Amino acid sequence: MKYLDEFRDPAAARALVRQIRDRATTRWTLMEVCGGQTHSIIRNGIDQLLDDVVEFIHGPGCPVCVTPLEMIDRALQIAGREEVIFCSFGDMLRVPGSHEDLFSVRARGGDVRVVYSPLDAVRIAADNPDKEVVFFGVGFETTAPANAMSVLHAQRLGLLNFSMLVSHVLVPPAMTAILSSPTNRVQAFLAAGHVCTVMGMSEYGPLVERYRVPIVVTGFEPLDLLEGVRQAVDLLESGTPALRNAYQRAVSPAGNGVAQEILADVFEVTDRQWRGIGMIPQSGWKLSRRYAQFDAEVRFGVGEVTVEESADCHAGEVLQGLLKPNECPAFGTLCTPRTPLGATMVSSEGACAAYYHFRRLSLDTTGAAHV
């Protein structure tokens, strides 16, 4: 299969591992920003193959994981209303709020539906004019264009019973917050290729210059990630802070101009709360004034919901790369996929879920994960 099997070739992977080992003179600390990359690294054992020359720390690149607790509670309040059909991607249904999740609301009789596209929610609104249809718009820049298109489509159809609960967040401000932290340990980033297919690479250059860290845009298959690591290690060893594109088959420097125009029309930048991290200025999107009538927070009056995180959940430290999932005292005991304390244990891109499912259950005295 083109662009899949050839990027999982074992011989090519071994060659890249040798090149990385030959180049590295010390153990470098890299952060992959995307949860999909985290799962690929853990599933394919890349962290174990390179453990003595690269430490991977897992960034806040899972949109489900960083959706703030108060936003989950807002979703729960809306979904529990009799007049509402609440639509969401499936990975949000088990994310715990303060006291329950969307599955619990559905079990009590709430009309909570899994959709595979935000346009499915628009179709449901058209088919159910007597109901309020709400779509939970969660994600980074990758999913934002489709969500923006659903708002445009609803407006063109005159669907006044459609609205969106928006919890969109942006990658570069999160990277800035990590690099600005006094506890920062990141020496280079592997940037998320799918975000860059939409937004391009222009926002990363200033980060490289300001913080003097290499950033390599990479994909998600084993060879994509190994090539990204190879380039990052080469830049670190040569003392060259630079921006590189190791995912040229999908990413162009300018990104997708049409998508960017739609995003600029439908959304505007706002401050956003990140689950377990806190407020990051100018780190998200909300609906722009032109489309404020589709804002579910305003329509249902849930904008003032505030809550507190569980003291037992250390997901925020995991998302900032300060803690490995299996270093959390609750990991695998109080917190499992069946009884999650936080979204990082139930999301398909969550670091805690990756460690649990792929058996990174304990640490040895050097900090290297093993089973």
Side-chain angles (χ1 to χ4, degrees):
M1 183 182 295
K2 191 175 184 184
Y3 295 150
L4 186 59
D5 288 349
E6 61 265 48
F7 287 92
R8 297 177 178 178
D9 179 66
R14 285 192 290 269
L16 281 167
V17 168
R18 284 194 298 271
Q19 291 176 39
I20 294 166
R21 287 183 171 281
D22 289 344
R23 185 69 171 107
T25 60
T26 188
R27 192 172 189 243
W28 297 104
T29 302
L30 276 59
M31 175 178 279
E32 79 281 359
V33 182
C34 172
Q37 291 174 336
T38 300
H39 272 251
S40 186
I41 288 167
I42 303 301
R43 181 176 63 247
N44 292 289
I46 293 172
D47 58 326
Q48 295 173 319
L49 288 169
L50 296 173
D51 180 66
D52 55 341
V53 293
V54 173
E55 178 189 2
F56 291 97
I57 53 179
H58 317 304
C62 165
V64 174
C65 302
V66 300
T67 300
L69 188 58
E70 55 262 39
M71 189 63 74
I72 303 298
D73 280 7
R74 289 168 191 158
L76 293 167
Q77 282 194 23
I78 295 171
R81 296 175 64 129
E82 186 175 349
E83 75 275 18
V84 167
I85 299 174
F86 194 87
C87 299
S88 172
F89 295 140
D91 55 2
M92 293 303 301
L93 267 63
R94 291 202 59 229
V95 177
S98 296
H99 305 291
E100 61 178 353
D101 56 26
L102 286 166
F103 265 131
S104 302
V105 174
R106 188 160 76 171
R108 291 202 313 271
D111 197 344
V112 177
R113 304 187 189 184
V114 174
V115 294
Y116 298 95
S117 163
L119 293 175
D120 292 341
V122 176
R123 177 185 53 77
I124 292 169
D127 293 343
N128 296 271
D130 58 330
K131 291 283 191 176
E132 287 284 344
V133 177
V134 180
F135 176 70
F136 201 179
V138 172
F140 285 97
E141 296 93 331
T142 319
T143 56
N147 291 351
M149 282 301 302
S150 70
V151 173
L152 290 175
H153 192 45
Q155 184 190 58
R156 290 164 185 162
L157 295 176
L159 296 176
L160 301 180
N161 64 325
F162 174 84
S163 61
M164 184 181 295
L165 183 62
V166 179
S167 189
H168 272 298
V169 287
L170 306 174
V171 170
M175 294 169 67
T176 302
I178 289 166
L179 290 168
S180 302
S181 170
T183 58
N184 171 52
R185 296 173 53 233
V186 178
Q187 295 172 298
F189 280 102
L190 301 180
H194 54 0
V195 170
C196 295
T197 61
V198 176
M199 302 304 294
M201 299 169 56
S202 62
E203 294 177 287
Y204 298 97
L207 291 178
V208 171
E209 295 202 7
R210 178 179 177 185
Y211 296 100
R212 310 302 292 171
V213 295
I215 298 177
V216 181
V217 178
T218 189
F220 307 89
E221 295 301 324
L223 297 191
D224 287 323
L225 288 160
L226 287 168
E227 174 59 20
V229 172
R230 187 195 67 77
Q231 293 194 28
V233 168
D234 186 62
L235 291 169
L236 288 165
E237 288 287 346
S238 63
T240 308
L243 175 62
R244 294 275 177 83
N245 183 4
Y247 198 38
Q248 294 185 26
R249 71 181 188 277
V251 173
S252 66
N256 186 323
V258 174
Q260 291 168 26
E261 289 178 9
I262 293 170
L263 292 171
D265 178 35
V266 175
F267 295 120
E268 61 184 54
V269 175
T270 187
D271 298 342
R272 273 281 177 221
Q273 194 81 14
W274 293 56
R275 187 167 192 169
I277 297 176
M279 181 66 70
I280 301 179
Q282 300 292 282
S283 65
W285 276 318
K286 65 179 180 179
L287 289 172
S288 64
R289 292 182 182 179
R290 286 187 61 188
Y291 303 96
Q293 63 181 317
F294 296 102
D295 190 334
E297 277 192 54
V298 175
R299 184 174 297 191
F300 295 96
V302 295
E304 299 303 316
V305 173
T306 57
V307 291
E308 291 187 9
E309 293 279 356
S310 165
D312 293 322
C313 182
H314 294 268
E317 293 155 271
V318 172
L319 292 167
Q320 296 174 73
L322 303 177
L323 196 71
K324 293 288 196 302
N326 49 359
E327 294 173 322
C328 172
F331 178 82
T333 54
L334 292 176
C335 185
T336 71
R338 287 183 176 272
T339 58
L341 292 178
T344 49
M345 183 56 88
V346 295
S347 170
S348 61
E349 294 189 355
C352 296
Y355 272 59
Y356 191 92
H357 290 302
F358 300 116
R359 313 300 292 173
R360 303 295 197 275
L361 302 182
S362 62
L363 293 174
D364 66 21
T365 55
T366 67
H370 68 91
V371 294

